[in-house]
Amino acid sequence: MKSSKKYTTLLFGIVLGIGFQHVALKFKRFLSTSSSSSSSSTISSEDSINSSKNNSSTWTLIVTLTFQSKQDMEHIIQDWDVVSRHCEKHEPFLYHYKLGQSDSNPLMLHIVERYESKEKYLALHKHGEEFLKFRPKLKALQDSGRVTVEGFSFQELGYGFVR
């Protein structure tokens, strides 16, 4: 129950932040449109952000890693960074791959991953060269009780925006 509330709070924060950014962007565009052209004070449909990174097939995975030691966490961060750099170069279907440290627990990391589709995550990312090197290291820590891995995923609905 406690971790479910934590994920709900995290997801709410992400959605709320995206919403605020969206409103600010629309307002900024509205101001620039009305000051540059007095004949049109509305935001055109071209201004709505509807890129390939913001459609209903986009799939998001959020993973939380909670470590027992700082040393294990630092090793995983270094190994994950290698995976991240590889993904940036070789996985164009991976839109967002970010690692963050919890505000409330210095031994807790969160990973936010956004993919073109769940199918590409399963068929391509999980079989990527660097991921296949990384995953056994994390699994060994899990099996020894030195890290817990929790997560959730969701299918995006296509509302909101991504820059």
Side-chain angles (χ1 to χ4, degrees), residues 12-109:
F12 177 75
I14 292 169
V15 170
L16 188 60
I18 290 171
F20 282 132
Q21 288 178 337
H22 181 67
V23 169
L25 177 65
K26 290 292 185 182
F27 185 70
K28 181 179 175 183
R29 287 184 179 166
F30 173 76
L31 290 178
S32 68
T33 303
S34 30
S35 66
S36 65
S37 168
S38 59
S39 65
S40 173
S41 64
T42 60
I43 299 170
S44 73
S45 61
E46 294 175 349
D47 287 333
S48 93
I49 299 172
N50 190 13
S51 72
S52 63
K53 294 180 183 177
N54 187 35
N55 62 51
S56 62
S57 68
T58 303
W59 183 75
T60 297
L61 173 64
I62 299 177
V63 178
T64 297
L65 309 173
T66 306
F67 294 87
Q68 297 300 310
S69 79
K70 185 176 179 180
Q71 182 181 12
D72 287 339
M73 184 179 73
E74 289 172 349
H75 285 129
I76 287 297
I77 290 171
Q78 290 171 358
D79 292 338
W80 185 87
D81 187 49
V82 172
V83 177
S84 177
R85 284 186 274 119
H86 175 83
C87 291
E88 185 177 24
K89 292 178 185 172
H90 302 286
E91 297 185 11
F93 55 87
L94 177 50
Y95 299 147
H96 186 113
Y97 202 54
K98 293 294 277 188
L99 179 68
Q101 188 172 32
S102 170
D103 291 355
S104 61
N105 181 347
L107 294 176
M108 182 181 287
L109 300 176

Side-chain angles (χ1 to χ4, degrees), residues 119-154:
E119 294 73 26
K120 290 203 175 173
Y121 162 76
L122 293 171
L124 302 173
H125 176 74
K126 286 187 76 172
H127 298 285
E129 177 184 346
E130 293 301 327
F131 180 83
L132 290 173
K133 292 177 190 175
F134 169 78
R135 188 60 182 110
K137 296 173 187 178
L138 185 60
K139 179 78 168 113
L141 290 176
Q142 278 181 275
D143 292 345
S144 67
R146 292 161 54 191
V147 67
T148 58
V149 179
E150 299 176 283
F152 65 94
S153 62
F154 56 92

